[in-house]
Amino acid sequence: MPVRTTGTTPRLAEHGTPSMDSTRAFIGDVKRLVIKVGTAVVTRSDGRLALGRLGALCEQIKELNLQGFEVILVTSGAVGLGRQRLRYRKLVNSSFADLQKPQNELDGKACAAVGQSSLMALYDTLFSQLDVTSAQLLVTDHDFKSIEFRKQLSETVQSLLSLTVVPIFNENDAVSTRKAPYEDSSGIFWDNDSLAALLALELKADLLILLSDVEGLYSGPPSDPKSRLIRTYIEKHQGEITFGDKSRVGRGGMTAKVNAAFNAAKAGIPVVITSGYAPENILKVLQGEDIGTLFHRDAHLWARSRDVTAREMAVAARESSRNLQALSSEDRSKILLDIADALEANQEQIMKENEADVAAAEQAGYERSLLARLALKPGKITNLANSIRVLAKMEEPIGRVLKRTELADGLILEKTSSPLGVLLIVFESRPDALVQIASLAVRSGNGLLLKGGKEAKRSNAILHKVITDAIPDSIGGRLIGLVTSRDEIPDLLKLDDVIDLVIPRGSNRLVSQIKESTKIPVLGHSDGICHVYVDKSANMEMANRIIIDAKVDYPAACNAMVCSICLSLIFI
């Protein structure tokens, strides 16, 4: 569990500002969490209970209990469940003549009273099957006005958690004195979303998860194709989001969730809004996966000053590359030397992030070959830094005359080397590839957009930060852009007027898909085998060393020798 390492400070304190989409790894240590499940998750569209989703929720809480987390549940659904049951009873007990009369809306408080016992009976049944004990705690807005109540509440919950009991909270709508629309300036909480935020603060939770019927917070109604999922919420989003209709059930909806999440995050409690429909989303949040929308007090430090579109990212890389090309060869070499020094200076932080990536990949069951490529072995950062220093001393690659032809008297045609422009490179799980590609781009004056494998997201994030921090402000901090979501790739592949070359480093299928999806030139590859050819005139001792090194030194690398039949050529 990358966000649950005890005895350490949150990674933000260690590493500074992460990229916008890698923030889940920077939530910090989580021991106690509050989970709020909305009515739209608890019930189906016909008003009946969604037993499958509730079962999956209880199974996740069981797993969290086994892992040592302290889980507090806030649940909605009592009113909806009670309304469904009372309608049924009314239908059964009504005459045909009664049914012809206008039907009055059922009293909400009566629905809450009937539904609450049914809801808790269901939770108790599900948890009992999993050998988990739960407890019911009903509260009202008025209760929290008492300091003694708050103190007793904290003590009771602490006692339950110490016994590995799951406290289940709900607002006691049956006796609440507040009336619709419930929200007023004097209220302490207005719905179960704000109650969950209040409880997270009162009970000193480390994380609040609000489960919804959509993937997270969108810029507009989720049904609108133009709406995009907001991964990290910052305060400026308040004036930019268009909320859709209120929840089909309950009285909250996304507006209530955002208000609750914003207030909790401002008080120092990280919040994630995510879908309660996915069976393992809670576990994924705690594993650091980038799902849903994160609210965090320090989010403004992580996020860009404004959301950067694919085009803006590419244009920024192009502008920064032109500034880079205007520098002298010595100045560009100096940037590389600074990058090499920065890598060595931040070696401990880089290795910690890489170890977290490797641990997560092992837990996910990735193949050994991928784990080998993912891991940065001891001394790897030093080797990378030394390679960069060698690159800095190499011959100037820009403006070299490669060919000169005299076409006529006084008319000379010259072929000179020049930067390609902006490159989009999609590469595999090797985080050291990011360093190598970025260094070559700086030396040759090219702008970069990099998309690494998701299994190396923490390593890539810290390496990208270290490298870009070493680039002078006069060049521009967005010379090298880090694409953190696969969803951005299709938009980037449409930018044939800005991006000059795409280089996919991966499977043949990946290369083929990219070629079919863009008008940008693609430097791809087909299936192939890495051969070593040894001529009969070669020095056999040297050939032996070369072949053994090519196969044994780093067998997981994509350019490790594959064709073992070459060995027989030694004896020709």
Side-chain angles (χ1 to χ4, degrees), residues 425-498:
I425 300 181
V426 183
F427 59 98
E428 68 284 1
S429 56
R430 287 175 48 219
D432 52 322
L434 184 148
V435 179
Q436 295 162 350
I437 296 167
S439 303
L440 289 169
V442 171
R443 189 70 179 104
S444 58
N446 288 295
L448 269 185
L449 300 174
L450 297 171
K451 172 64 177 78
K454 64 179 181 180
E455 58 280 343
K457 60 183 179 182
R458 295 173 180 82
S459 306
N460 289 338
I462 187 63
L463 287 169
H464 175 261
K465 182 183 185 304
V466 170
I467 291 172
T468 52
D469 283 353
I471 298 174
D473 293 338
S474 59
I475 303 302
R478 282 149 61 182
L479 171 71
I480 303 170
L482 184 62
V483 182
T484 54
S485 172
R486 183 180 294 181
D487 297 338
E488 297 176 81
I489 297 297
D491 292 333
L492 290 166
L493 292 176
K494 297 175 184 177
L495 303 178
D496 54 294
D497 59 327
V498 185

Side-chain angles (χ1 to χ4, degrees), residues 340 381-392 394 436 439:
I381 299 300
T382 299
N383 290 339
L384 287 170
N386 290 335
S387 297
I388 294 173
R389 294 184 180 105
V390 172
L391 178 63
M394 291 179 67
Q436 295 162 350
S439 303

Side-chain angles (χ1 to χ4, degrees), residues 123-143:
Y123 274 118
D124 184 64
T125 299
L126 292 173
F127 276 129
S128 296
Q129 295 299 313
L130 298 169
D131 197 25
V132 174
T133 304
S134 60
Q136 176 181 243
L137 295 97
L138 296 176
V139 296
T140 66
D141 180 78
H142 180 75
D143 294 332

Side-chain angles (χ1 to χ4, degrees), residues 90 94 97-106:
K90 188 175 182 181
S94 296
D98 291 335
L99 295 176
Q100 305 307 307
K101 300 175 183 178
Q103 300 297 306
N104 296 324
E105 181 63 31
L106 294 170

Side-chain angles (χ1 to χ4, degrees), residues 228-412:
R228 59 182 178 78
L229 179 64
I230 297 172
R231 291 294 185 185
T232 303
Y233 181 92
I234 54 178
E235 194 167 355
K236 67 129 187 137
H237 284 130
Q238 281 183 312
E240 299 177 359
I241 297 173
T242 302
F243 290 99
D245 297 332
K246 193 183 79 64
S247 172
R248 60 174 172 83
V249 286
R251 62 172 186 263
M254 188 55 70
T255 306
K257 286 179 176 56
V258 170
N259 290 336
F262 178 79
N263 291 330
K266 193 174 180 180
I269 300 169
V271 184
V272 174
I273 298 177
T274 188
S275 172
Y277 284 25
E280 295 187 348
N281 265 6
I282 298 172
L283 298 178
K284 289 179 180 179
V285 167
L286 291 168
Q287 289 166 358
E289 293 194 25
D290 294 331
I291 61 172
T293 302
L294 173 67
F295 292 70
H296 197 288
R297 179 169 56 187
D298 298 321
H300 65 285
L301 301 175
W302 309 338
R304 304 177 182 102
S305 57
R306 58 191 181 92
D307 288 340
V308 179
T309 65
R311 171 169 289 277
E312 290 171 331
M313 187 186 300
V315 169
R318 182 178 63 183
E319 293 174 352
S320 296
S321 69
R322 289 172 177 172
N323 295 334
L324 181 65
Q325 294 163 23
L327 296 180
S328 66
S329 177
E330 290 76 15
D331 288 338
R332 272 183 280 111
S333 295
K334 175 63 166 57
I335 294 174
L336 287 176
L337 295 175
D338 290 341
I339 290 174
D341 292 342
L343 287 171
E344 289 185 328
N346 292 275
Q347 185 167 184
E348 183 178 350
Q349 298 174 1
I350 294 169
M351 295 303 292
K352 282 185 179 179
E353 290 301 293
N354 182 249
E355 289 167 4
D357 276 334
V358 172
E362 288 176 341
Q363 187 174 5
Y366 284 109
E367 295 180 357
R368 291 178 60 186
S369 58
L370 184 143
L371 294 174
R373 292 193 296 271
L374 177 60
L376 295 174
K377 298 178 181 178
K380 185 66 174 181
I381 299 300
T382 299
N383 290 339
L384 287 170
N386 290 335
S387 297
I388 294 173
R389 294 184 180 105
V390 172
L391 178 63
K393 297 176 182 178
M394 291 179 67
E395 184 181 0
E396 168 60 32
I398 300 177
R400 286 196 298 126
V401 177
L402 305 176
K403 186 177 181 180
R404 180 181 287 120
T405 304
E406 186 174 1
L407 301 179
D409 189 20
L411 180 60
I412 299 176

